[in-house]
Amino acid sequence: SEYPWENDFVQPDVRIESKNARLFIEVKVVAPIKLEQVLKYLALHALMDTEAGEKRPYLLFLTTKQFNKCWTPAREARTADNVQDFLKQKTTDGTAPDFVKKKTIARYEAVKKEVIYGVATWSAVGKCLKQISSQWHNEDSHEIESRILDDFLHDLGARGLWA
């Protein structure tokens, strides 16, 4: 395809890039997080690095519950308190899956070592955005941005993702 992020194995919910970094955000509401999905994001980082230039890889999961309650199989999740260490350990072993393009295997192996993982709950994000919105209201500034945040928070509340 014309763009490396248009592929047949994974589509990030959110992709944010700067000159030096690339962040994929996987939004989870009901579906569990599985190792195969993590590996697909690493493969996409490798593909984009190969076709568009290397960037620092990040992968963030935005979830309704704590990460260890979203991981499947659930019996593995008991050791998922530190997301970075847990996912590094899970992705270290094994040969590259079939969806990893041959031309990107070396970069895929490097991405597995370089990637920074993160997780946030909708509740934590909502709380942070509410603090920002409240500060802007108190300062009587950022009127447009405040309205956007308030509308977003209202929508999250209506969906039961933030109270």
Side-chain angles (χ1 to χ4, degrees):
S1 76
E2 184 177 346
Y3 302 104
W5 58 86
E6 293 176 351
N7 62 76
D8 59 355
F9 59 90
V10 69
Q11 218 34 33
D13 293 320
V14 179
R15 177 181 56 87
I16 301 171
E17 291 194 53
S18 70
K19 181 180 176 186
N20 300 314
R22 180 182 308 108
L23 166 68
F24 297 141
I25 301 175
E26 175 62 21
V27 178
K28 291 293 187 184
V29 177
V30 177
I33 301 167
K34 299 178 181 177
L35 179 59
E36 182 180 20
Q37 186 174 36
V38 174
L39 297 176
K40 286 180 178 182
Y41 278 115
L42 300 181
L44 181 57
H45 270 300
L47 178 62
M48 291 181 71
D49 283 355
T50 301
E51 295 187 4
E54 291 183 17
K55 296 186 178 187
R56 180 74 175 165
Y58 293 86
L59 177 56
L60 173 74
F61 293 95
L62 186 53
T63 61
T64 53
K65 300 174 276 193
Q66 295 299 319
F67 180 84
N68 60 1
K69 292 184 172 44
C70 297
W71 182 262
T72 192
R75 69 188 181 303
E76 296 177 354
R78 284 177 260 136
T79 61
D81 294 333
N82 181 318
V83 174
Q84 181 73 21
D85 291 346
F86 176 78
L87 290 177
K88 287 277 188 178
Q89 185 269 325
K90 287 288 177 198
T91 59
T92 299
D93 300 328
T95 58
D98 292 341
F99 50 79
V100 177
K101 312 268 189 250
K102 284 190 177 16
K103 68 180 180 180
T104 67
I105 288 177
R107 184 62 196 141
Y108 172 80
E109 293 300 326
V111 165
K112 289 195 314 186
K113 294 179 178 103
E114 297 170 10
V115 65
I116 302 293
Y117 296 103
V119 64
T121 63
W122 283 103
S123 178
V125 169
K127 187 176 183 179
C128 180
L129 294 177
K130 182 61 179 170
Q131 288 175 335
I132 293 168
S133 175
S134 295
Q135 180 180 343
W136 287 346
H137 284 294
N138 290 339
E139 295 171 354
D140 201 26
S141 65
H142 302 278
E143 182 179 347
I144 303 281
E145 295 92 336
S146 291
R147 286 184 186 179
I148 292 169
L149 283 184
D150 291 345
D151 286 349
F152 182 69
L153 290 169
H154 178 76
D155 189 54
L156 288 181
R159 293 171 187 239
L161 298 173
W162 182 75

